[in-house]
Amino acid sequence: MIDSIETEKYRCFLYNQGLMPYLDAHQWQRSLLQDRINNPSLDDVLILLEHPPVYTLGKGANSEFIKFDIDKSEYDVHRVERGGEVTYHCPGQLVGYPILNLHRYRQDLHWYLRQLEEVLIRVLANYGLSGDRIPGFTGVWLEGYKVAAIGIKVSRWVTMHGFALNVCPDLKGFERIVPCGIADKAVGSLADWIPGIKCQEVRFCVAHYFSEVFGVELVESQFEESAYS
């Protein structure tokens, strides 16, 4: 298990959002990141939300992992600047976007990815479930099923994008892609092990363990559209 950071507690604004269109959240993240590049003294941010159904591809993602014609598709598809292959977001999946200045923590992307995995592994442990890492891959698995995907972008050591934890989504949307480009490992959700579980309860658990792993003080905040529009 990765130890929590032994340092002073930085403040991190927590935005507990509901359902937000992907492009709105993406624009918000970009605005927060640029503000922190311009002014590194600004506090960190953690956004927790859900998205309407949407497919996203990392900047180098292979479109062959999509099983439908993007140009003639009824589905919402976006290529963005994060790392990783194609993934799917939908209601019932809890998405976390940390906007962190890694100068305050450790300037090491592998370390940061492992910390995000650790947050989610502790969340699973809270429910009596044993989450696993698989060497060579990023994300968290549960009894061989991938329940959490991670894809990040870092600019001047400020992070954006983040993680997606399958709590109780309709998994049919994953059938139209090769999730994260991994063909031989199925996708699962916490609801497969804990029937009736909902994002609303899990988001508080995620916030708690995020605070614990990164050693930050979370400050609940309210979203204002004018902050990025």
Side-chain angles (χ1 to χ4, degrees):
M1 182 175 289
I2 300 174
D3 293 332
S4 299
I5 301 165
E6 297 294 336
T7 185
E8 67 174 292
K9 283 197 172 186
Y10 291 102
R11 189 167 65 167
C12 180
F13 291 121
L14 172 64
Y15 291 92
N16 261 311
Q17 301 303 122
L19 196 66
M20 178 178 284
Y22 184 82
L23 290 182
D24 287 356
H26 185 242
Q27 184 179 358
W28 185 17
Q29 287 184 77
R30 288 173 64 92
S31 176
L32 291 169
L33 178 139
Q34 190 59 52
D35 287 346
R36 281 148 184 79
I37 289 175
N38 295 340
N39 183 359
S41 67
L42 290 176
D43 291 312
D44 294 328
V45 170
L46 172 63
I47 302 168
L48 296 176
L49 47 66
E50 297 173 59
H51 288 307
V54 60
Y55 293 93
T56 71
L57 297 91
K59 59 182 179 181
N62 188 339
S63 58
E64 292 182 2
F65 292 135
I66 296 180
K67 300 178 182 179
F68 56 86
D69 187 338
I70 298 177
D71 297 326
K72 300 177 182 178
S73 171
E74 61 183 299
Y75 308 115
D76 198 10
V77 183
H78 303 288
R79 186 179 289 274
V80 293
E81 64 274 79
R82 65 165 173 79
E85 293 289 345
V86 61
T87 194
Y88 176 65
H89 301 302
C90 66
Q93 180 192 74
L94 183 62
V95 178
Y97 294 131
I99 314 295
L100 302 185
N101 184 344
L102 294 183
H103 287 283
R104 296 173 177 151
Y105 305 93
R106 190 179 299 179
Q107 296 171 53
D108 182 332
L109 299 188
H110 293 288
W111 171 87
Y112 177 57
L113 291 169
R114 303 294 83 78
Q115 294 295 98
L116 293 180
E117 290 170 347
E118 180 66 17
V119 171
L120 301 171
I121 288 171
R122 293 189 190 188
V123 169
L124 297 185
N126 181 75
Y127 290 98
L129 302 172
S130 181
D132 296 313
R133 295 181 177 89
I134 295 182
F137 295 100
T138 299
V140 177
W141 278 260
L142 185 54
E143 297 180 13
Y145 290 84
K146 189 169 188 179
V147 295
I150 295 173
I152 64 169
K153 163 71 176 178
V154 177
S155 298
R156 299 188 188 178
W157 295 110
V158 179
T159 69
M160 66 177 289
H161 296 288
F163 58 86
L165 176 63
N166 293 335
V167 178
C168 55
D170 181 349
L171 296 176
K172 290 181 181 177
F174 286 99
E175 297 173 1
R176 304 185 190 104
I177 61 173
V178 179
C180 303
I182 307 172
D184 61 346
K185 292 181 174 59
V187 173
S189 71
L190 300 194
D192 296 332
W193 286 265
I194 310 172
I197 194 169
K198 300 296 181 186
C199 284
Q200 189 61 27
E201 62 178 281
V202 176
R203 65 173 61 228
F204 295 107
C205 190
V206 169
H208 170 78
Y209 288 110
F210 184 90
S211 172
E212 185 176 275
V213 169
F214 284 95
V216 295
E217 177 189 357
L218 292 179
V219 178
E220 294 217 25
S221 304
Q222 297 296 317
F223 168 73
E224 296 180 8
E225 188 172 351
S226 60
Y228 73 89
S229 58

